[in-house]
């Protein structure tokens, strides 16, 4: 993870670097720093607080410069201390910012120690700083090109040297880096978003590229050392930034994003005449979809739970065998590849390292038919896959995924019905029914969002708990999993989810009067079974907090607290049922006073394995 930004200009560039960091905080936020370079050497300001605090520090210190690099960190090697915060120096001559992990850093450190370099941080980054310093002979571009040949692992770096005070050199392999072109000034950044507004055009560097930005312009060398050009695009293609950062009447982005879901879903549902048409996924999708005999879904975290939900839809509606795998497991295990399988990756960011690696692994095993369900049109995942379904959630800033999840579910449901039609399992009447359900979904969601005051009342009790169980069955088991993940990641309450039928096989031992048991209770075929599981909890004194469809007729009584949902929403019910769980997690975390949008130890985009 980590975000890097660098700039060369003829004006004070520090405010641009700080704004870039603010926009990159989604990549990690446990420390940050900025360095500018002068002929006397680089100077830096670092903080273990947020970018807003770094901004205060640089303003107070009147910290300025025309050439600089900056970094927001998600710690891998070394604790999040000021000493480990980037930029990292080598002998007060060179400064570096780094995103990624250097796998051979121990060997390099020994080699550099033997040459007399002292290490003052616990970071793997310091080896790159000293390595480049040791190779520097008056040309930073050349020294970096030589140094990166010795690095194993993933990196994107930005480097400055006191002897070239109007030069920043960048390099990438495994971690993204873009070059930005402004009016007589140039930039590097982990994400085009960081420099949108200052740069007019951006180019994505390719694997192994090294770039030099200076007042004269930009030079890019490929891994073999040849000077190359990389296609540049209008920065507007990467979307604006300004409007999405306005909180409006909300206290946190997560709350805002929960309430944006009706709009996000409505934007994601295709036009009427295109609904359930394979062309939605790509030009020749019909031909390819007809030839597949199974689905393999690869994803992480919340996106993985979207995949688990989709399995029920794909097997029920399209009658197609579906396997769902956690990307970080799949990429390293021996599996039996099926070239007739459609590999579906699900990702909000489209940059999650484990999901990208799992996708490449599947491709290397001969599974060439791939589809990304993704929220970022310009992401690496979209570029790597044959087909795409773009969710239109809009920029999601809160680390906890909400509108990305529900729009992923919409995309996956559309995939299930599209495949069902192609495979002859969905007739015109059923298709019309599914379309009606989809079209009414934003209005139905508004009905669920109106339950917020009741959920706030519950959250005050939850805020005093340290554990919670979540139960669901069938199609709603993944929703229970997602509810538990939401609660734990932002409120730090330990939460686990189980298929309700599994309770008696172990977790029931945890149930006492102190244990809140959140139950997802749709009025589906498993309702009576679920009611029996609820009784098992009540018999042990457990407190049930039930989100029950109105037509279940489950009512509040001793030990059973009920919030009535709208009537059962058929196959799309999971999309309604996850929303109160998002709100419960949000208000519980809010009541506990945690940093809801930036929970501890996490990052929005997980670009390291
Ligand atoms: O960007 P992705 O959807 O690939 O991210 C995958 C997970 O890191 C992500 O869903 C994570 O679990 C959520 N932020 C949790 O709310």
């Amino acid at each position: 993870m980590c975000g890097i930004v660098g700039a060369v200009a003829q004006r004070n560039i520090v405010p641009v670097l700080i704004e870039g960091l603010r926009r990159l905080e989604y990549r990690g936020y446990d420390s940050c720093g900025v360095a500018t370079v002068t002929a006397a050497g680089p100077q830096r300001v670092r903080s273990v607080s947020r970018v807003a605090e770094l901004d205060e520090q640089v303003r107070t210190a009147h910290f300025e410069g025309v050439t600089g690099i900056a970094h927001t960190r998600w710690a891998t090697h070394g604790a999040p201390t000021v000493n480990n915060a980037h930029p990292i120096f080598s002998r007060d001559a060179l400064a570096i910012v780094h995103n990624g992990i250097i796998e051979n850093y121990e060997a390099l450190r020994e080699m550099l120690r033997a040459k007399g370099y002292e290490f003052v941080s616990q970071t793997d980054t310091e080896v790159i700083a000293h390595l480049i310093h040791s190779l520097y002979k008056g040309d930073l571009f050349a020294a970096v090109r030589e140094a990166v040949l010795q690095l194993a692992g993933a990196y994107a770096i930005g480097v400055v040297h006191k002897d070239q005070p109007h030069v920043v050199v960048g390099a990438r392999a495994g971690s993204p880096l873009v070059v930005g072109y402004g009016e007589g000034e140039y930039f590097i950044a982990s994400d085009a978003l960081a420099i949108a507004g200052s740069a007019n055009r951006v180019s994505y560097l390719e694997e192994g590229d090294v770039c030099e930005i200076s007042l004269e312009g930009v030079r890019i060398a490929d891994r073999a050392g040849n000077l190359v050009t990389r296609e540049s695009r209008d920065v507007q293609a990467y979307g604006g930034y300004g409007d999405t950062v306005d909180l409006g009447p909300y206290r946190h982005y997560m709350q805002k994003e929960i309430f944006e879901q009706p709009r996000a879903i409505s934007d994601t549902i295709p036009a009427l005449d295109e609904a359930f048409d394979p062309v939605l996924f790509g030009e020749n999708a019909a031909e390819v979809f007809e030839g597949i005999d199974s689905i393999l879904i690869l994803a992480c975290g919340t996106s993985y739970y979207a995949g688990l939900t989709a399995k029920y839809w794909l097997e029920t509606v399209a009658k197609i065998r579906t396997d769902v795998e956690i990307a970080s497991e799949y990429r390293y295990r021996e599996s039996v590849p099926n070239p007739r399988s459609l590999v579906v990756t699900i990702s909000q960011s489209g940059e999650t390292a484990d999901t990208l690696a799992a996708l490449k692994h599947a491709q290397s095993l001969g599974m060439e038919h791939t589809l990304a369900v993704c929220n970022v049109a310009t992401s690496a995942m979209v570029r790597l896959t044959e087909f795409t379904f773009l969710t239109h959630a809009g920029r999601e800033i809160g680390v906890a995924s909400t509108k990305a999840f529900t729009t992923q579910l919409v995309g996956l449901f559309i995939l299930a019905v599209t495949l069902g039609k192609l495979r002859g399992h969905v007739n015109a009447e059923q298709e019309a029914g599914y379309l009606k359900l989809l079209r009414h979904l934003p209005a139905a969601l508004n009905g669920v969002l109106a339950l917020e005051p009741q959920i706030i009342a519950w959250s005050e009790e939850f805020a005093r708990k340290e554990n919670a169980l979540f139960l669901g069955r069938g199609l709603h088991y993944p929703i229970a999993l997602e509810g538990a993940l939401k609660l734990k990641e932002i409120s730090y309450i330990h939460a686990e989810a189980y298929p309700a039928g599994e309770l008696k096989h172990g977790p029931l031992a945890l149930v006492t009067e102190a244990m809140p048991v959140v139950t997802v209770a749709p009025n589906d075929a498993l309702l009576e079974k679920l009611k029996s599981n609820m009784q098992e909890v009540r018999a042990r004194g457990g407190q049930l907090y039930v989100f029950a469809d109105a037509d279940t007729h489950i009512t509040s009584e001793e030990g059973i607290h009920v919030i009535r949902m709208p009537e059962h929403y058929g196959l799309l019910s999971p999309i309604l049922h996850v929303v109160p769980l998002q709100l419960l997690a949000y208000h519980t975390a809010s009541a506990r006073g945690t940093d809801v949008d930036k929970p501890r130890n996490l990052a929005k985009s997980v670009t390291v394995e």
Side-chain angles (χ1 to χ4, degrees):
M1 274 109 81
C2 307
I4 69 179
V5 56
V8 173
Q10 285 175 305
R11 59 175 170 140
N12 174 25
I13 212 67
V14 171
V16 173
L17 296 175
I18 296 286
E19 173 59 18
L21 289 189
R22 198 169 66 78
R23 298 179 185 189
L24 290 173
E25 268 191 312
Y26 74 89
R27 302 176 71 88
Y29 40 77
D30 55 33
S31 61
C32 50
V34 56
T36 55
V37 60
T38 67
Q43 46 173 354
R44 68 186 163 190
V45 179
R46 297 183 289 176
S47 168
V48 285
S49 200
R50 299 288 158 78
V51 173
E53 210 268 340
L54 183 72
D55 191 20
E56 279 299 313
Q57 282 190 49
V58 300
R59 282 170 199 272
T60 310
H62 301 291
F63 184 83
E64 296 185 345
V66 293
T67 302
I69 51 177
H71 188 262
T72 180
R73 180 169 187 243
W74 187 80
T76 55
H77 293 66
T81 59
V82 171
N83 199 46
N84 289 330
H86 302 203
I88 297 283
F89 283 3
S90 177
R91 294 191 174 167
D92 287 334
L94 177 151
I96 186 169
V97 287
H98 166 221
N99 166 30
I101 294 177
I102 302 305
E103 287 164 6
N104 58 338
Y105 84 100
E106 283 171 331
L108 289 171
R109 190 176 53 194
E110 292 322 304
M111 182 271 284
L112 289 159
R113 273 193 178 131
K115 289 187 174 177
Y117 283 95
E118 272 181 45
F119 284 79
V120 296
S121 77
Q122 283 83 50
T123 64
D124 52 344
T125 305
E126 199 173 354
V127 298
I128 321 177
H130 293 325
L131 181 62
I132 298 170
H133 183 274
S134 73
L135 297 168
Y136 184 77
K137 296 182 194 81
D139 182 350
L140 191 57
F141 190 41
V144 172
R145 289 202 320 262
E146 204 179 331
V148 295
L149 297 176
Q150 298 185 45
L151 302 179
Y155 59 83
I157 55 174
V159 196
V160 291
H161 194 287
K162 72 178 175 60
D163 293 347
Q164 292 176 265
H166 300 288
V167 168
V168 175
V169 173
R172 70 148 297 207
S175 300
L177 194 67
V178 300
V179 174
Y181 303 81
E183 300 297 329
E185 50 190 37
Y186 302 92
F187 308 88
I188 56 168
S190 299
D191 183 336
L193 193 70
I195 48 176
S198 300
N200 309 319
R201 300 187 69 75
V202 289
S203 304
Y204 269 92
L205 293 186
E206 292 185 8
E207 284 291 285
D209 281 357
V210 179
C211 70
E212 177 199 70
I213 59 170
S214 69
L215 292 175
E216 276 76 56
V218 174
R219 286 196 288 168
I220 301 173
D222 66 12
R223 200 192 291 273
N226 305 310
L227 288 180
V228 290
T229 49
R230 299 290 178 220
E231 185 197 346
S232 74
R233 298 197 225 171
D234 192 326
V235 81
Q236 294 311 324
Y238 299 91
Y241 188 79
D243 54 337
T244 54
V245 298
D246 182 6
L247 265 177
Y250 301 102
R251 282 185 61 209
H252 297 95
Y253 290 111
M254 182 181 178
Q255 187 186 25
K256 177 177 186 239
E257 288 158 5
I258 290 172
F259 278 84
E260 280 174 353
Q261 289 178 108
R263 191 274 312 148
I265 283 177
S266 160
D267 288 354
T268 300
I269 297 171
L272 207 57
D273 52 349
E274 280 187 337
F276 313 128
D277 187 330
V279 82
L280 275 175
F281 301 88
E283 275 311 311
N284 59 339
E287 194 188 320
V288 170
F289 285 4
E290 266 164 13
I292 59 161
D293 66 1
S294 63
I295 305 271
L296 171 63
I297 297 180
L298 304 170
C300 304
T302 289
S303 298
Y304 169 71
Y305 297 148
L308 287 183
T309 313
K311 174 181 169 78
Y312 286 86
W313 287 333
L314 287 159
E315 296 201 340
T316 306
V317 178
K319 313 265 180 255
I320 187 160
R321 183 195 157 152
T322 303
D323 293 308
V324 192
E325 297 227 23
I326 291 176
S328 57
E329 288 292 314
Y330 174 77
R331 62 183 289 197
Y332 289 119
R333 80 175 182 85
E334 286 205 14
S335 54
V336 182
N338 174 7
R340 291 191 61 201
S341 198
L342 175 69
V343 178
V344 179
T345 52
I346 309 171
S347 177
Q348 188 285 127
S349 60
E351 300 290 346
T352 301
D354 283 319
T355 311
L356 284 171
L359 169 63
K360 289 177 194 163
H361 180 63
Q363 286 169 328
S364 75
L365 295 176
M367 289 190 273
E368 57 173 333
H369 297 309
T370 56
L371 161 69
V373 176
C374 189
N375 197 37
V376 182
T378 51
S379 63
M381 199 167 295
V382 169
R383 292 199 299 273
L384 273 174
T385 47
E386 186 180 16
F387 303 112
T388 305
F389 183 93
L390 277 183
T391 52
H392 292 281
R395 188 168 151 76
E396 194 178 62
I397 295 175
V399 164
S401 189
T402 53
K403 60 178 181 170
F405 178 68
T406 46
T407 52
Q408 285 168 352
L409 290 179
V410 166
L412 291 162
F413 182 76
I414 291 170
L415 176 67
V417 180
T418 305
L419 289 174
K421 257 177 78 180
L422 278 177
R423 296 162 63 85
H425 299 297
V426 172
N427 62 32
E429 192 186 334
Q430 288 166 317
E431 182 183 357
Y434 292 141
L435 192 56
K436 199 169 155 199
L437 267 188
L438 268 178
R439 299 228 163 267
H440 182 66
L441 197 51
L445 275 174
N446 278 323
V448 179
L449 290 167
L451 299 172
E452 189 181 36
Q454 295 174 60
I455 296 168
I456 291 174
W458 280 12
S459 68
E460 281 152 19
E461 291 174 44
F462 274 73
R464 294 192 290 274
K465 303 284 183 187
E466 289 308 324
N467 297 285
L469 287 178
F470 284 69
L471 301 181
R473 290 195 79 128
L475 188 53
H476 294 78
Y477 166 53
I479 298 307
L481 285 166
E482 172 61 4
L485 176 62
K486 286 286 91 84
L487 187 68
K488 77 182 99 175
E489 75 176 318
I490 58 169
S491 75
Y492 316 147
I493 293 171
H494 175 231
E496 297 293 334
Y498 288 94
E502 198 51 21
L503 208 55
K504 57 189 173 295
H505 298 291
L508 201 53
L510 293 171
V511 172
T512 65
E513 282 180 10
M515 179 66 86
V517 182
V518 180
T519 308
V520 183
N523 187 17
D524 63 11
L526 293 168
L527 179 64
E528 291 312 315
K529 303 282 176 209
L530 183 75
K531 282 181 176 169
S532 305
N533 303 136
M534 286 166 56
Q535 288 312 318
E536 291 162 10
V537 172
R538 272 309 295 141
R540 275 85 188 169
Q543 295 290 308
L544 286 157
Y545 292 82
V546 189
F547 292 101
D549 284 354
D551 42 359
T552 59
H553 305 297
I554 297 175
T555 50
S556 295
E557 57 183 87
E558 167 85 36
I560 306 185
H561 315 268
V562 178
I563 289 182
R564 280 165 76 96
M565 297 280 292
E567 293 204 342
H568 186 52
Y569 207 73
L571 278 179
L572 290 181
S573 168
I575 301 179
L576 292 196
H577 267 277
V578 78
V579 173
L581 304 186
Q582 296 168 344
L583 284 169
L584 182 64
Y586 169 70
H587 285 291
T588 303
S590 223
R592 285 165 73 99
T594 63
D595 191 346
V596 172
D597 288 327
K598 292 194 176 77
R600 69 184 178 207
N601 307 337
L602 300 181
K604 181 70 185 160
S605 189
V606 186
T607 56
V608 291
E609 70 164 292

